[in-house]
Amino acid sequence: MNDQAIFQRLLALVEQYYARRKEGKFLEYMEPQALAEVLDLERQAPGDWQQLFDWMEKYLTHSVKTGNSGFLNRMWSGANLPSIMGEIITAVTNTSACTYEAAPVSTLMEHYMLNSMLELVGFEQGEGQMTTGSSNGNMIAMLAARNQVAENIKEKGLVNHPPLVAFVSADAHYSLDKAANILGLGTDNLIKVPVDERGRMRPDSLEQLLQEQQELERQPFFVCATLGTTVRGAYDPLPALLELRNKYGFWLHGDGAWGGAALLDDELRQRYLPGVEQLDSFTWDFHKMPGSNLMCNLLLFNHHKGTLRCACSAGEHSYLFREEHEDAELDTGTASLQCGRRVDSLKWFLDWKYFGKEGLGKRVRHYLELCEYAESRIQSLPRLEMTAFRESFNVCFRFLPPPNHNANDFNLKLRHRLFEEGVTLVGVAFIGEILTLRLLITHPDFSQKDVDSFLQSVIDMGERLLNE
Ligand SMILES: *Cc1c(COP(=O)(O)O)cnc(C)c1O
């Protein structure tokens, strides 16, 4: 096959997959052993284009169709078409976004987008970078805060300092625990602040813990406010946390991986993110509600330029970064923990230009309206019940089996059966002792009818299980 024939066939395959992603089940489930046999992974194929296409077709056939309305498990689904176009171009051009020299267009697009986001959030003298995801964004924010505790921590390490302690809510994302491990704090020194009955960090508890730690001669340096928790969708109360920040002088970071999307609509911003422009740093995933391809993350600092670079750079790197060049200042690599950096800016730029704040804001409002609708339906259906107050974009609920059943076991089984039969893949999590199903809506064209049929499929499966 020549290149032209290969591209024709490839693009036809892509087009066909995309056109049919909503049809049928989201997955024809196969056990790993059976799937391995179908894939024939040991097979040799030197120079055999036909065989490569065979594997690609199998890949498409047996993958989870994340663009299908049955796929509700994660904080993302499908992807925006402009973003998909960007990813194809990114693959065919294949460069590393670390220097202007090697990635001129991507570099300018990344700066342009980060500046647009600094403006959107309201950070005035800030800077930013795209990272590999909010897990990484959270860690880099903690790293920068750690290095600001004292002049020489970057060079001398933590040995000469009183133990550093950081704080998150009990419902925060696990990436903060990982950051505490990686940065040498120790996971025990990431203190979990109790949450209120809706899953929001309690500022009174935080203040008490801050004082306790100070009395123990430990140094509180970093608090992460979760802005849209992963399970319940709760927003930690920024105004109260900002007040504590001003009193105790820690670095206040906002993990908006999921809930940062509220910035896209002015009313939602006021409701969920009051004071966000005063944070020290903020991270947000555009690959979640806004729908860009994975991974698409931004990390913003509300500090003078150079803080990020100072936190991340180390070692002799003159083979790569030529500081005598006029355009060296534009190089994104020196402010990053990576050496090679995948180009994530093109897809993001295309999405932003095509949909804009208004288009994406509308989408986010639509998601919220559907969540309100789902909640009201669940409350009116006797077989279902809400398991948590709905703060924002997360609908936590469960099937209510008769009292002679263990509700947790029952719902877990129910969820697994829905998956195996390819009906729907819905999230589960624990809230305290209660196992909850978690509906997240991130399909732009999801409708009330889709909500109804999803809830009905949960009820039907639950009733079937009761009759078995
Ligand atoms: C999804 C999520 C993360 C992790 O983001 P990645 O981009 O997957 O690393 C962090 N925090 C919260 C609150 C999240 O919902």
Side-chain angles (χ1 to χ4, degrees):
M1 281 177 95
N2 62 25
D3 289 355
Q4 195 184 10
I6 290 168
F7 269 107
Q8 272 176 3
R9 186 156 166 196
L10 170 67
L11 293 175
L13 201 61
V14 170
E15 196 273 329
Q16 227 174 56
Y17 171 82
Y18 187 79
R20 296 191 185 151
R21 70 200 186 286
K22 294 185 181 164
E23 292 169 12
K25 294 180 175 182
F26 75 93
L27 174 69
E28 294 290 346
Y29 179 75
M30 288 178 83
E31 298 289 344
Q33 187 99 34
L35 181 57
E37 260 168 54
V38 168
L39 295 177
D40 197 7
L41 299 169
E42 298 287 347
R43 189 188 182 105
Q44 302 301 312
D48 185 352
W49 288 106
Q50 180 54 46
Q51 179 56 37
L52 301 195
F53 272 104
D54 204 57
W55 272 314
M56 286 198 288
E57 278 168 22
K58 283 178 179 160
Y59 187 99
L60 293 172
T61 305
H62 298 288
S63 288
V64 173
K65 285 189 223 157
T66 60
N68 186 285
S69 59
F71 183 80
L72 296 167
N73 187 42
R74 294 290 156 85
M75 305 190 125
W76 40 266
S77 61
N80 301 329
L81 194 48
S83 166
I84 293 172
M85 291 186 347
E87 287 291 75
I88 293 173
I89 298 297
T90 298
V92 80
T93 49
N94 192 45
T95 191
S96 168
C98 61
T99 58
Y100 179 77
E101 200 172 72
V105 185
S106 155
T107 301
L108 294 188
M109 284 181 172
E110 183 167 342
H111 284 299
Y112 170 80
M113 287 302 298
L114 289 167
N115 287 332
S116 307
M117 294 301 126
L118 286 166
E119 200 174 310
L120 177 67
V121 176
F123 287 178
E124 277 172 10
Q125 297 294 321
E127 60 181 336
Q129 68 171 242
M130 298 190 76
T131 85
T132 59
S134 286
S135 298
N136 208 1
N138 286 335
M139 183 187 73
I140 295 169
M142 196 191 276
L143 169 68
R146 190 200 71 171
N147 286 8
Q148 289 213 334
V149 166
E151 284 285 311
N152 61 2
I153 281 197
K154 180 167 158 183
E155 292 78 19
K156 306 290 180 200
L158 296 174
V159 285
N160 299 318
H161 290 275
L164 299 182
V165 283
F167 302 80
V168 291
S169 90
D171 280 10
H173 191 257
Y174 69 87
S175 53
L176 278 308
D177 300 77
K178 292 192 177 214
N181 172 25
I182 296 164
L183 296 175
L185 264 64
T187 51
D188 287 351
N189 292 318
L190 179 75
I191 296 176
K192 308 287 169 70
V193 183
V195 293
D196 67 12
E197 70 293 346
R198 296 186 185 180
R200 300 172 297 191
M201 186 192 283
R202 291 184 49 170
D204 55 341
S205 304
L206 173 62
E207 180 155 30
Q208 201 183 344
L209 287 164
L210 283 163
Q211 286 170 357
E212 257 173 51
Q213 291 298 314
Q214 283 180 337
E215 278 158 27
L216 292 167
E217 301 199 347
R218 298 151 128 247
Q219 191 168 355
F221 77 106
F222 179 84
V223 175
C224 171
T226 310
L227 305 171
T229 55
T230 310
V231 176
R232 282 194 263 186
Y235 285 76
D236 290 343
L238 284 181
L241 298 182
L242 286 162
E243 226 169 90
L244 289 175
R245 191 264 314 263
N246 296 344
K247 185 164 166 195
Y248 291 88
F250 50 77
W251 178 298
L252 184 57
H253 170 67
D255 176 1
W258 169 240
L263 282 167
L264 294 164
D265 180 273
D266 295 340
E267 202 187 308
L268 297 185
R269 175 192 176 126
Q270 280 199 348
R271 187 186 322 169
Y272 291 120
L273 298 165
V276 64
E277 68 285 349
Q278 295 175 55
L279 287 169
D280 293 287
S281 54
F282 174 76
T283 186
W284 175 16
D285 279 334
F286 247 68
H287 64 245
K288 289 183 171 171
M289 272 184 263
S292 298
N293 274 78
L294 290 159
M295 307 294 286
C296 191
N297 169 267
L298 56 136
L299 169 66
L300 303 178
F301 277 24
N302 198 4
H303 285 255
H304 57 84
K305 282 212 185 351
T307 309
L308 194 50
R309 186 160 295 170
C310 183
C312 292
S313 71
E316 153 54 30
H317 54 208
S318 61
Y319 80 92
L320 182 58
F321 299 108
R322 309 295 323 136
E323 274 156 24
E324 74 277 7
H325 278 193
E326 268 171 49
D327 45 20
E329 205 186 312
L330 289 171
D331 291 352
T332 49
T334 43
S336 165
L337 293 178
Q338 300 163 246
C339 174
R341 294 178 77 235
R342 196 177 181 288
V343 170
D344 285 325
S345 59
L346 174 62
K347 62 184 171 198
W348 188 25
F349 177 85
L350 296 179
D351 269 344
W352 186 246
K353 288 296 175 185
Y354 185 80
F355 297 105
K357 177 181 172 224
E358 198 175 313
L360 294 174
K362 234 189 214 162
R363 178 185 303 195
V364 171
R365 285 199 77 90
H366 174 60
Y367 291 156
L368 193 64
E369 282 157 21
L370 287 176
C371 292
E372 286 160 11
Y373 176 73
E375 179 185 25
S376 73
R377 293 300 302 142
I378 289 164
Q379 285 166 341
S380 72
L381 291 162
R383 276 295 189 205
L384 304 179
E385 73 168 357
M386 293 292 287
T387 46
F389 181 86
R390 189 189 56 75
E391 276 285 309
S392 62
F393 304 93
N394 306 36
V395 183
C396 295
F397 74 103
R398 63 177 178 175
F399 187 90
L400 208 54
N404 60 336
H405 289 77
N406 176 314
N408 286 0
D409 295 346
F410 188 89
N411 277 278
L412 204 55
K413 194 163 143 198
L414 168 60
R415 186 248 181 194
H416 191 67
R417 191 67 82 76
L418 287 166
F419 167 61
E420 261 180 0
E421 297 195 9
V423 181
T424 186
L425 183 54
V426 65
V428 277
F430 274 98
I431 300 176
E433 302 283 301
I434 292 183
L435 181 113
T436 183
L437 305 176
R438 180 195 64 173
L439 170 65
L440 302 175
I441 300 170
T442 53
H443 294 286
D445 48 10
F446 216 69
S447 65
Q448 292 195 348
K449 225 173 83 201
D450 292 313
V451 171
D452 286 334
S453 73
F454 164 73
L455 295 176
Q456 195 56 47
S457 67
V458 173
I459 293 172
D460 291 347
M461 185 63 79
E463 285 178 345
R464 239 175 76 198
L465 284 177
L466 288 177
N467 289 329
E468 274 176 11

